[in-house]
Structure formats: structure tokens, C-alpha cells
Amino acid sequence: MATFSRIRIPTFGITIAAFAAVLIPTGIGQASPSTNLTLSEVRAQMAVLDARAEKISESYDAANTKLAALQRKEQQAQRELTQDQAALDKSEQKLAASAAAAYRSGGLDATMSLVTSGNPQTFLDQTSTLQEVSHFQASQLAAADAAQRTMSAAQVLHDAEVAQQKSTLATISKQKSAINGLVAQEHALLSRLSSAAQAQYNSQQSALASHELALAGSYTGPATGQAAAAVQYAYAQLGKPYYYGGSGPDSFDCSGLTMMAWSAAGVSLPHNAAAQQAEIPAVSLADLEPGDLVFYGSPAYHVTIYIGGGRVIAAPHTGTVVQIQSLSDEPPTGAGRP
């Protein structure tokens, strides 16, 4: 019987100190001055890399969601396989006991019973008994055969679930490598800044994090009920670093933030922007209310939560923090209301 060790979905115990990783260390090894880039050039190239990483990150989240579902199905298949194996073992034990009893009672040959008894009536009595035994054994054989077929089918199902898990894990590994490669490219770009530009970049990043942290938990807007709970949760995460696959408590990606915000309001959403959009009723961008989710791309590869006043809370991309943005910073393609 095939066995499969439980696979754990990758988790990320990132603290807010992880934000420091996006700041350029003092004295970083630089390329020659002729290869230095300006801060605007670096930001433009990083924006392209961020967009690519965001799309891969959402695919990564979808693969992790799929893996979790496959794990639950595989666990159920394993339980059914164990139960079916136990039923087969029991049927085989009954069949073996029946055969042994028939052997001990002399049920090997009906003709031999007439010879040894010398009594036609005894022969007829024994024949009737043997027929009953034969019928009982045939029933047990059929039950054992059915149990074997059920167990074999359960084994096939279980093996298929295991194979899907392995395939999904391979996808996750590739996507994670791709994201890490893009992050490495961003660090390489940052290393091409001049010392003055590096200091300016670090100052801007630190100021952004400090500003957003100061706003955390300060929502007093018009949202009520579940929407208020979702927005209040999002506010409390301001200033925490972005991390792909992150769903708190210390770091988030875009759909991880919106998923957990609405989870705080008692609404379950998947960890994927496109899947979230598919699950909730659409609303017009002209009719947005605090708590609504705002989507970008088709299919959606980015999601934010609307807080009113033409603003959203977003976990934008690697190297930055959960922050308040203007709805006009990036044109949305749709919205929904959980």
C-alpha cells in the first residue's frame, strides 16, 4: 500500500524587521561609476520587475491554495483506503475461517461421506449441510472480491491525489525560484545606484514605513458592520512589509491582506486575487464603499481594499510596506463586495 508523508504549505515567519532587507547596506559593493544608474532609472526598471513578480506571486498563492485542497482530499482518500483495507482483511479472515471449518467437518467430498456413513439418510443430511456451506463460502468469496475491488479503487484515487500534490509542489518551487530571481535582479539594480542615490532611496523607504506605521489602527471612517471590521484590520497592518505568500501576522502580499481583512469580518476568501474576484458580487467602480475589494488586471493579478475618499490600502510589492494609496495611482479594472 502506497504511503505519502504530509506536505506542509510554505509559511513565512517574517517580522517587521524584514523590511530592513530592502534598504541598501552602507558600503555596498558598487559597479564602476560609468555603470551607475539614477534613482528614477532604477525605480522604472524595478516597477517592471515588480509587475512580473506580482503576477507570479498570485499564481504562487493559487498553487498553495490548490495544494491545501489536495492535501485535504489526499487525507480523506488515505482514511478511506485504510478503512477499505481493514474491510478486505476482515473478509479474507472470514473466508479462511470458513474454509478451515468446512475442512474440519469433513466437507471435502460428498461421495466420500456416503461411503464412510453407509447410511443414505446421513448422506442426504450431510449433502444439505455441504450445500449450505458451499453457498456461504460463495457469498464470502463474493464479499472478499468486492472488498478487494473497492480497496484497489481507493488505492488508485489515493495515488492520483499524491501525484497531483507532487506536481503542484513542483509548480510552487518553480514559481518561488522565479520570484526570488526577480528580487535578486532588483537588488542588483539597487547596487548600481551612486552612494548619494542609495542614501536617498533608503531615506525614502524608511520615511514611508514610519509614516504608514503612524497611521496604523487609526480608522474612524463611515464603514459599518463587517466592512468596518475588514477595514479596521487592514488599517492595523499599515507599515508591515510585503512578502509574497504572506498572510500575516507580520507580512502580507496583496491577496493575503484582503483575505485576512475579510476573515476578521467573518468572511472566508481564497488567497488569490482572481479567485477572490470570482467569488464575490461585482460592484461598479463608481459605487465603491469602504471594505470593497478593488482589482487590477484581467484576470486579476492585484487586489486592494477600498477605505473611502478615493483611497485604498494595498500591499504593493517586494521592497515596500502595506500602505494607503490613491485609487488613481493605478487604474483598476473591477471591484467586488464580499
Side-chain angles (χ1 to χ4, degrees), residues 61-75:
D61 290 339
N64 270 316
T65 299
K66 178 181 178 182
L67 178 61
L70 288 172
Q71 286 177 330
R72 290 191 294 271
K73 290 174 67 178
E74 186 273 328
Q75 290 168 3

Side-chain angles (χ1 to χ4, degrees), residues 94-145:
K94 284 184 176 180
L95 185 60
S98 175
Y103 178 81
R104 288 193 300 270
S105 66
L108 296 177
D109 188 290
T111 304
M112 183 62 70
S113 68
L114 176 60
V115 174
T116 56
S117 68
N119 185 324
Q121 186 58 52
T122 300
F123 166 73
L124 292 175
D125 292 342
Q126 289 182 348
T127 298
S128 176
T129 300
L130 291 171
Q131 287 175 341
E132 291 178 4
V133 170
S134 176
H135 175 75
F136 180 66
Q137 289 179 333
S139 175
Q140 287 190 326
L141 280 169
D145 181 64

Side-chain angles (χ1 to χ4, degrees), residues 2-329:
T3 58
F4 191 75
S5 58
R6 299 286 178 259
I7 303 170
R8 294 189 179 276
I9 301 174
T11 55
F12 308 95
I14 308 298
T15 65
I16 196 166
F19 176 71
V22 306
L23 303 181
I24 304 171
T26 303
I28 187 172
Q30 296 182 37
S32 62
S34 62
T35 64
N36 280 351
L37 298 175
T38 66
L39 185 54
S40 60
E41 289 173 331
V42 166
R43 288 195 180 280
Q45 293 186 43
M46 287 178 66
V48 174
L49 296 175
D50 286 335
R52 290 171 57 191
E54 183 74 7
K55 292 177 181 179
I56 300 173
S57 177
E58 283 301 291
S59 295
Y60 172 88
D61 290 339
N64 270 316
T65 299
K66 178 181 178 182
L67 178 61
L70 288 172
Q71 286 177 330
R72 290 191 294 271
K73 290 174 67 178
E74 186 273 328
Q75 290 168 3
Q76 177 61 32
Q78 179 65 64
R79 286 192 293 270
E80 292 176 357
L81 179 59
T82 300
Q83 292 169 359
D84 292 337
Q85 181 65 62
L88 175 60
D89 292 343
K90 187 175 181 179
S91 293
E92 291 177 339
Q93 291 168 3
K94 284 184 176 180
L95 185 60
S98 175
Y103 178 81
R104 288 193 300 270
S105 66
L108 296 177
D109 188 290
T111 304
M112 183 62 70
S113 68
L114 176 60
V115 174
T116 56
S117 68
N119 185 324
Q121 186 58 52
T122 300
F123 166 73
L124 292 175
D125 292 342
Q126 289 182 348
T127 298
S128 176
T129 300
L130 291 171
Q131 287 175 341
E132 291 178 4
V133 170
S134 176
H135 175 75
F136 180 66
Q137 289 179 333
S139 175
Q140 287 190 326
L141 280 169
D145 181 64
Q148 176 64 60
R149 291 175 183 274
T150 300
M151 197 278 291
S152 296
Q155 182 72 64
V156 170
L157 176 62
H158 175 262
D159 290 347
E161 300 294 351
V162 168
Q164 287 192 59
Q165 287 195 64
K166 289 181 177 179
S167 175
T168 303
L169 271 177
T171 298
I172 288 172
S173 179
K174 290 179 182 179
Q175 290 169 338
K176 187 174 181 180
S177 295
I179 296 170
N180 287 338
L182 292 171
V183 172
Q185 290 182 53
E186 292 196 357
H187 281 287
L189 283 171
L190 291 170
S191 73
R192 295 178 62 186
L193 290 171
S194 66
S195 296
Q198 289 178 15
Q200 182 183 1
Y201 177 83
N202 286 347
S203 176
Q204 291 173 349
Q205 295 297 97
S206 295
L208 172 64
S210 297
H211 174 73
E212 299 300 331
L213 279 171
L215 297 175
S218 62
Y219 177 73
T220 57
T224 59
Q226 290 178 303
V231 173
Q232 286 167 359
Y233 181 93
Y235 258 92
Q237 313 317 311
L238 288 171
K240 293 185 178 181
Y242 175 98
Y243 196 86
Y244 67 88
S247 58
D250 301 314
S251 62
F252 296 87
D253 63 13
C254 68
S255 57
L257 175 65
T258 53
M259 176 185 72
M260 294 306 296
W262 272 98
S263 177
V267 177
S268 177
L269 293 174
H271 192 169
N272 176 261
Q276 288 179 8
Q277 186 172 26
E279 281 200 9
I280 63 177
V283 296
S284 168
L285 290 169
D287 297 324
L288 284 175
E289 296 179 1
D292 289 348
L293 300 187
V294 180
F295 299 97
Y296 306 79
S298 182
Y301 62 84
H302 184 55
V303 58
T304 62
I305 183 167
Y306 188 66
I307 59 173
R311 301 174 302 156
V312 295
I313 291 181
H317 52 75
T318 297
T320 188
V321 297
V322 176
Q323 58 192 265
I324 295 175
Q325 297 179 332
S326 170
L327 191 60
S328 61
D329 285 352

